[in-house]
Amino acid sequence: VLSLAIVREPAIIFEMKNLLYSKDLTREEIEALMERAKGYLPVAGRGASGGARTKVRDAEGKILATLFYEPSTRTRFSFESAMKRLGGDVISNSHMDYTSSAKKGETLYDTGRVISQMADVIAMRHPEKGSVAELALGAVVPVVNAGDGPGDHPTQGLLDLFTIQQELGRLDNFTIAMVGDLKNGRVPHAECELLRKLHEGKDDAGGVRFVFVAPAALAMPREILAALEAAGHEIVETEDLDAVIGEVDVIADTRIQKERFESEEDYLKYKGVYVITPDVMAQAKEDAILLHPLPRVDEIEVAVDEDPRAKYFQQVENGVAMRMAILAELLGL
Ligand code: ASP
């Protein structure tokens, strides 16, 4: 067990009752979470040196409830792994949509209120945008958004920023290309909002440039673009990945979000529109990094996994450390 002094240094505690939306975080909060996640990395991850994962006792006696109304592999396990590595316990339902009282007509407000009598913190995923806030209204313990439909996914966004910081060594003065279904992808939405909040108020917007690569029908929502522009970020929109891949420092790839399309036929129009292969990576900068929140369908060939610039498995490990930091902050530890 690592000494708490190491894990909790520097202890910047802030008032974060819930973590609902990326845009609600301040620069100080984002930076504090990064610092805290860094402290938890030796607990959560094996790292480059292949060290042993372990656990601390920060959350001993606390219970996390994970309520998932939509499929998930990584996010739910990541929260649960994070809580266990913090020394806490977990109660979990990954099929809330058809095995919970929602089936009987219970409102999200009531579910929030009820689960609060049994758990100390709640992580929730739901297919509808805004649903997490509804549950949080009823809850009297902290609630964290683990993905609400096509809306937001703040914990994934935070772990992506954390990975950029770890791998690139900085969170300013870089160009990021977001590639894929930017309309429906909650992960690119979260990344945009967090990068904007991180550099809010700076003259040069932190020198963070955005290149959005998507078919026109799957472009980034206008309100997110407008907010980035108003904050002073330079933005490029294109459908042509080959034209821009050589200029960027971060390639943040995502899948076409099949479940958000009206029909299979509609989805098939875009499936496979961008596929990252070793040949595509050959055009990228030598020190660029390739991120993907996973799951991948066909947008990154398996042969790319061996490219040292591919960081999507490292992201998973970083995600546990980041969620440890988030849970610890929400629990006031
Ligand atoms: N796992 C991520 C999410 O839940 C990315 C994805 O599903 O494409 O949004």
Side-chain angles (χ1 to χ4, degrees):
V1 175
L2 278 177
S3 132
L4 293 188
I6 295 173
V7 173
R8 300 181 61 178
E9 199 61 43
I12 307 166
I13 305 298
F14 54 86
E15 292 284 322
M16 188 166 77
K17 184 189 174 286
N18 297 312
L19 175 48
L20 300 183
Y21 298 109
S22 301
K23 66 175 171 42
D24 297 339
L25 286 166
T26 63
R27 181 198 309 171
E28 291 72 25
E29 288 170 337
I30 298 169
E31 284 173 350
L33 286 169
M34 300 279 160
E35 254 336 279
R36 197 151 192 188
K38 201 153 85 185
Y40 281 130
L41 261 185
V43 183
R46 287 159 33 90
S49 57
R53 299 187 180 107
T54 178
K55 72 192 274 189
V56 291
R57 303 169 90 171
D58 297 15
E60 210 166 50
K62 303 287 184 192
I63 294 179
L64 162 73
T66 53
L67 313 181
F68 277 59
Y69 296 77
E70 202 185 44
S72 165
T73 310
R74 265 153 305 280
T75 304
R76 187 168 62 89
F77 278 172
S78 179
F79 268 109
E80 296 184 2
S81 173
M83 190 59 176
K84 286 173 184 263
R85 292 202 185 281
L86 279 172
D89 288 301
V90 176
I91 50 178
S92 179
N93 186 340
S94 57
H95 296 294
M96 284 295 284
D97 42 344
Y98 57 92
T99 65
S100 76
S101 288
K103 259 282 191 219
K104 302 179 192 166
E106 184 171 66
T107 61
L108 288 173
Y109 177 94
D110 276 0
T111 304
R113 194 69 198 260
V114 167
I115 301 295
S116 299
Q117 312 303 318
M118 298 177 268
D120 302 290
V121 56
I122 299 172
M124 175 199 178
R125 167 171 293 187
H126 197 280
E128 276 163 47
K129 197 171 166 177
S131 52
V132 184
E134 210 177 308
L135 183 124
L137 267 181
V140 294
V141 299
V143 175
V144 50
N145 181 355
D148 63 336
D152 200 348
H153 195 351
T155 65
Q156 178 74 44
L158 283 163
L159 80 89
D160 294 349
L161 262 57
F162 182 48
T163 303
I164 296 171
Q165 189 192 50
Q166 291 292 301
E167 299 295 337
L168 219 57
R170 64 186 190 280
L171 274 169
D172 54 12
N173 295 304
F174 67 89
T175 302
I176 181 167
M178 298 189 185
V179 184
D181 184 350
L182 305 183
K183 175 184 174 206
N184 299 304
R186 55 195 172 199
V187 174
H189 300 170
E191 292 167 344
C192 286
E193 296 286 62
L194 289 166
L195 284 167
R196 178 172 67 77
K197 294 302 300 240
L198 185 66
H199 296 298
E200 199 166 44
K202 295 184 190 164
D203 283 347
D204 63 347
V208 177
R209 289 179 68 230
F210 293 84
V211 180
F212 297 116
V213 185
L218 303 180
M220 184 61 81
R222 301 294 100 178
E223 64 273 17
I224 294 181
L225 291 182
L228 289 174
E229 256 162 3
H233 292 281
E234 207 179 302
I235 291 170
V236 173
E237 285 189 282
T238 176
E239 297 196 29
D240 187 354
L241 177 60
D242 289 334
V244 293
I245 194 164
E247 296 164 22
V248 307
D249 305 296
V250 180
I251 308 154
D253 195 19
T254 45
R255 80 189 157 91
I256 305 296
Q257 306 280 302
K258 183 178 183 190
E259 65 277 33
R260 313 283 177 222
F261 285 77
E262 302 240 315
S263 66
E264 172 90 8
E265 195 192 343
D266 237 17
Y267 163 68
L268 290 176
K269 283 190 219 155
Y270 302 104
K271 182 183 181 309
V273 58
Y274 303 113
V275 180
I276 298 187
T277 63
D279 283 348
V280 173
M281 286 305 287
Q283 303 170 57
K285 283 187 180 177
E286 244 171 65
D287 56 357
I289 58 170
L290 173 61
L291 306 182
H292 193 298
L294 305 176
R296 70 175 147 191
V297 181
D298 53 10
E299 61 281 355
I300 301 180
E301 277 188 3
V302 173
V304 175
D305 296 0
E306 298 320 313
D307 188 315
R309 295 168 294 179
K311 301 297 178 192
Y312 28 91
F313 297 118
Q314 185 56 44
Q315 266 173 278
V316 179
E317 201 169 85
N318 292 347
V320 177
M322 177 49 81
R323 291 189 174 102
M324 289 176 77
I326 292 165
L327 290 170
E329 287 296 342
L330 287 171
L331 288 164
L333 304 174

